[in-house]
Amino acid sequence: MIAAIAGAHTGTHVLDVDPDHDHHRVVISMAAKSSTLLDGVIAAVGAAVEHIDMREHAGVHPRVGAADVVPFVPLGQSTLADARELAREAGERIWSELKVPVYFYGENRPLADIRAGRAQPDLGGPTLHPTAGAVSVGARLALVAFNVLLPETDIATARALARSLRESEAGMRGVQALAFQLSGGRVQLSMNLFRLDQTPPSAVVAELVRRGITIGEQELVGLCPAIAAGEVAAGRLLEGRLAAAAARAGAVKCRSVGDEEHLALAVRLEREAEGLAALGVDQQVLLTGAERAAALVPVLRVAQVMDGELEAMLGAAARGLRAAISPGTEAANAARVAALDARL
């Protein structure tokens, strides 16, 4: 089922598929130019509608439908206004083509209000689709979904802790938080961090430690922008996956050319994609990753397999990794950073 949803449209670049048994949810991250991404989203939502029956669904996380939330996130040179326009078009197509009611969410209508039943669908409704429910569609900047197990905290205390951390309750800036009782008696603090420049995962962990909370396993859901990455984000960097997807697509194009030189390059690009997808979070690794992403641009150009989409993906990857370089690392690697900046 998950493979059918993630692979419903071959034109998009699937960056990550992250299922969660306890929440009975899967996060699928895709990237593409606007028109292709729109078609990919509609295809994925359609596959979810076909395969998931909400009448038989169980999971601890709040949800309104089979394709519960569809956020559009601007990357590279695209803007939040571009993402909002795409979200509106996606919502209109979901209703007109799939007959699944649509909520539009954003700053003036948070997901919490929709999930709590404090809103009516903007398209369709008020009766929801009998098996697929509804879809919440919106545009936002990148965020980090971050979960922490609390092995010595009961659920009532964890829920009070979650409330105290929320920005809406005068807690930490950019934090949305819930607490869940998982199987086996485990208690989980589940958060969305949406002001990453102010509150990355490390800041939340530091606050929990300051409060004397015993912290268990930490996990990311989906991908993490390099600028907010700590150890838990190793191998799950958004920029690493973008660069990997571009390298992989370049390899496919090289194989389609088919001569000996392009076939050899395809092998190298596939190997490079594997490494970029698994990038760690050490400062030297981030710097090297930015250099590798930037270096792929002239390689694909010379091979005559470059297009605007791949160039945009590699540019977004290299710039995102560059933004994560600390002043200390920059000072210690001045010549490398200057050369990188010249490329960008």
Side-chain angles (χ1 to χ4, degrees), residues 297-317:
V297 173
V299 170
L300 297 185
R301 282 178 181 163
V302 169
Q304 297 184 331
V305 295
M306 177 62 85
D307 61 31
E309 181 178 83
L310 299 187
E311 187 162 6
M313 291 169 64
L314 290 169

Side-chain angles (χ1 to χ4, degrees), residues 225-229 237 239 279-292 317-338 340-341 344:
I227 197 170
L237 293 181
E239 293 85 355
L279 275 183
V281 297
D282 176 85
Q283 280 284 299
Q284 288 297 324
V285 172
L286 294 176
L287 175 55
T288 300
E291 293 169 329
R292 290 163 68 182
R319 290 183 180 89
L321 292 164
R322 168 65 179 91
I325 302 304
S326 70
T329 301
E330 184 175 346
N333 300 271
R336 290 175 63 188
V337 171
L340 173 62
D341 288 344
L344 300 178

